[in-house]
Amino acid sequence: MYEDNPESDDSTARTEWGSVADLITSLLTAVADETGNRVSDLPPLNDSIDPDAMESLLTSDRSETVQLSFNYTGVRVHIDSDGYLFVQQRTGPTE
């Protein structure tokens, strides 16, 4: 699902993940869709973040929502432990 903010030059893709096995697949698929690449053409995820640490942090049993944001292959990834994943690519001019 794409959400467009008319006041912004950013494009945001939103998806959900439901399990540890689904997390990495959902993340890579969302980034590939947002960047127009194939998943197999993306650089290794561990160049940007430790996938095992990310999974551990987001799937641990906590009473509060855990949120994690990082840059990966030119997009901003935001994931939370409630199962939401947002991928945002800046489409306007950079300063």
Side-chain angles (χ1 to χ4, degrees), residues 20-50:
V20 174
D22 192 36
L23 174 58
I24 300 297
T25 301
S26 296
L27 187 156
L28 293 175
T29 301
V31 170
D33 288 348
E34 185 67 13
T35 61
N37 292 309
R38 294 182 310 203
V39 171
S40 61
D41 292 335
L42 295 175
L45 183 58
N46 61 355
D47 286 354
S48 297
I49 192 166
D50 180 336

Side-chain angles (χ1 to χ4, degrees), residues 8-10 89-95:
S8 173
D9 289 333
D10 296 338
Q89 183 173 31
R90 184 108 177 125
T91 56
T94 58
E95 296 182 82

Side-chain angles (χ1 to χ4, degrees), residues 52-65:
D52 293 332
M54 177 181 68
E55 288 177 352
S56 177
L57 181 65
L58 293 171
T59 59
S60 62
D61 190 20
R62 297 176 186 257
S63 60
E64 296 183 20
T65 299

